[in-house]
Amino acid sequence: MIIFRTGSILRELTPESFSFDYARTVPIPAIIAMVAALVISLAVPVLLFLYLRKRFRLDPQAMLYGIFAYLLGRSLLPTLMDLGLQYIDARTGLFSSMPAVYYAIGSAVTVLLEFAAVLFGLKLAARRTRISFGLCVYFGLFFSIMPILTQTVSYMGNYLSVSLSINQGNLRGIVEEMIAGGSTSEDIEGLLSGLTSLMDQSVFYYLLLALDVLLMIPVHICLSVLTGGRLSGDIPKNRILEIVIILAVYAAALLGRSLIESETIAIFVGFFLITALVSCFLTWRVLKEFMPQDLEKLLGPPDPSISDKGGKNNPGNGGHKMPKIVMPKD
């Protein structure tokens, strides 16, 4: 009888049962911002890759182990960490009574797991190839590309798809389909609440959402370069302070984002911006002291031995010259 009564209630629901204006649309500037954020999210890694491609030879090991380190340090191990913390909380209730302790432990362990994955990935690469500066830069880039592709691009694509569907007047039909499919009023109200947030969101929100993930690229590249320099012996073993500072600032940024109750994404992006600036400054200082040639190669003009224009098979560069074609005379 409960089933039949629930079905009766659902059949009585109509789109007008919810206090929502189905004529509302997502502002055009917001849609333009979504497209811009989607383009930026894809363009920045691609342009950075092309920039590096003219200065360092691409080692496939960097790509493979960078992606592997991401899956290990930012997917598998954090999931196991969350399960462990939830188990401890279920047994002791520690984190439920003191959420700040949970956030502090979670932030610290998350950063350490990422660093451990970077270290492990570079050590695996060292067994098959020489750890060079270029390999470390590529490693950090590919370590950071995966969340851009799996999170930012995916989310932005969903936002854009839903917004276009709303502006085409399909929202009422979606609600009718949900009612016919047996969705509860709570489910429909949750959907409409999320769509209202989407319509009211600031234009800059989507651009900052993309920037939030892109700022992690320099952080992971810097950690990879410093760690790889230690493994290769280019950076002395006693120079670990810079790595510790970067990890500490990174953990503090994650903790601050968890503790601060604010709907302004600019504040959250600011934490990662500080982390990126600190990472770049400390890494630049170490490279300037111990690896100046690699730093100059990174920031200087392209390497002619790598670029197409400087290939040894090009005419005028000491390579093979094109044969001279002699036309037969009549």
Side-chain angles (χ1 to χ4, degrees), residues 234-268:
D234 294 325
I235 299 176
K237 293 184 178 181
N238 59 351
R239 294 300 297 267
I240 63 172
L241 180 60
E242 287 79 9
I243 296 179
V244 173
I245 293 176
I246 293 175
L247 295 177
V249 174
Y250 185 14
L254 292 179
L255 179 59
R257 290 161 65 98
S258 301
L259 294 179
I260 294 180
E261 297 181 359
S262 174
E263 297 181 356
T264 305
I265 191 175
I267 297 178
F268 298 148

Side-chain angles (χ1 to χ4, degrees), residues 74-314:
R74 300 195 67 182
S75 180
L76 177 60
L77 294 180
T79 301
L80 297 177
M81 177 197 70
D82 288 336
L83 293 176
L85 293 179
Q86 291 176 10
Y87 176 78
I88 295 174
D89 184 58
R91 297 294 298 270
T92 64
L94 173 65
F95 302 132
S96 298
S97 58
M98 293 185 294
V101 176
Y102 172 80
Y103 293 136
I105 295 176
S107 300
V109 175
T110 297
V111 171
L112 291 176
L113 290 179
E114 287 191 23
F115 175 68
V118 170
L119 179 61
F120 182 65
L122 288 174
K123 282 189 174 183
L124 287 180
R127 294 183 177 182
R128 295 179 175 271
T129 185
R130 186 180 68 87
I131 298 296
S132 63
F133 179 83
L135 181 142
C136 295
V137 175
Y138 281 121
F139 180 94
L141 175 61
F142 284 105
F143 185 91
S144 305
I145 280 180
M146 291 302 295
I148 296 175
L149 297 178
T150 58
Q151 298 176 20
T152 306
V153 173
S154 177
Y155 292 160
M156 212 62 64
N158 290 335
Y159 290 156
L160 184 60
S161 176
V162 172
S163 299
L164 294 177
S165 180
I166 292 174
N167 288 6
Q168 291 173 358
N170 298 331
L171 182 56
R172 180 186 177 87
I174 293 175
V175 174
E176 290 178 346
E177 291 179 1
M178 292 182 67
I179 294 175
S183 299
T184 64
S185 59
E186 289 78 9
D187 294 336
I188 300 175
E189 288 175 353
L191 170 66
L192 296 177
S193 176
L195 296 180
T196 301
S197 176
L198 181 66
M199 297 174 184
D200 296 337
Q201 202 62 256
S202 169
V203 172
F204 297 101
Y205 171 81
Y206 305 102
L207 299 175
L208 291 174
L209 198 63
L211 183 61
D212 189 48
V213 181
L214 292 175
L215 284 172
M216 296 310 299
I217 294 180
V219 176
H220 291 132
I221 289 180
C222 290
L223 282 175
S224 301
V225 167
L226 294 177
T227 305
R230 288 283 312 280
L231 293 176
S232 64
D234 294 325
I235 299 176
K237 293 184 178 181
N238 59 351
R239 294 300 297 267
I240 63 172
L241 180 60
E242 287 79 9
I243 296 179
V244 173
I245 293 176
I246 293 175
L247 295 177
V249 174
Y250 185 14
L254 292 179
L255 179 59
R257 290 161 65 98
S258 301
L259 294 179
I260 294 180
E261 297 181 359
S262 174
E263 297 181 356
T264 305
I265 191 175
I267 297 178
F268 298 148
V269 174
F271 284 113
F272 279 172
L273 178 60
I274 294 174
T275 306
L277 292 175
V278 171
S279 302
C280 291
F281 172 74
L282 294 177
T283 304
W284 172 81
R285 191 174 65 175
V286 173
L287 294 178
K288 187 178 180 181
E289 181 178 358
F290 299 103
M291 304 172 66
Q293 293 181 348
D294 292 311
L295 180 61
E296 183 179 357
K297 193 174 182 180
L298 174 65
L299 303 179
D303 187 347
S305 65
I306 298 177
S307 62
D308 294 335
K309 295 181 180 180
K312 61 182 180 180
N313 292 328
N314 289 342

Side-chain angles (χ1 to χ4, degrees), residues 10-18 22 172 175-176 179:
L10 289 176
R11 283 195 295 271
E12 294 175 359
L13 286 177
T14 65
E16 284 68 27
S17 302
F18 307 93
Y22 295 98
R172 180 186 177 87
V175 174
E176 290 178 346
I179 294 175

Side-chain angles (χ1 to χ4, degrees), residues 40-62:
I40 292 173
S41 300
L42 293 173
V44 170
V46 171
L47 292 177
L48 182 57
F49 174 79
L50 295 177
Y51 177 87
L52 296 174
R53 190 68 182 85
K54 295 181 179 181
R55 287 157 176 80
F56 305 100
R57 297 189 185 278
L58 176 62
D59 190 335
Q61 305 290 337

